[in-house]
Amino acid sequence: MDGRAIARWTGLAKRGPAAGVTTVFPDGWEGLWHPFRAPDRETRLDDARFLNELSSGPGGHA
């Protein structure tokens, strides 16, 4: 699923802000998430690092 579909499927796009929580629904690289290892042709891809940086904001740490 892409981010838009996850937002609809979970209902968090409405429930999060209603509870005062910012929600984001990023798309995975080429439509997929790679939580354990990057694809062979994209060895620098690091989904866990990306989500950590996304959630920590500019210059911060989660």
Side-chain angles (χ1 to χ4, degrees):
M1 286 188 209
D2 63 13
R4 187 173 292 193
I6 291 290
R8 283 192 309 266
W9 182 66
T10 63
L12 291 174
K14 292 182 181 178
R15 293 187 345 216
V21 176
T22 300
T23 57
V24 296
F25 303 91
D27 293 334
W29 180 76
E30 292 189 354
L32 298 171
W33 288 98
H34 304 87
F36 301 109
R37 76 177 186 90
D40 291 338
R41 67 185 186 281
E42 292 293 334
T43 57
R44 296 183 324 178
L45 185 68
D46 187 340
D47 288 341
R49 181 179 49 91
F50 167 71
L51 292 173
N52 185 48
E53 289 174 4
L54 181 66
S55 66
S56 63
H61 299 285

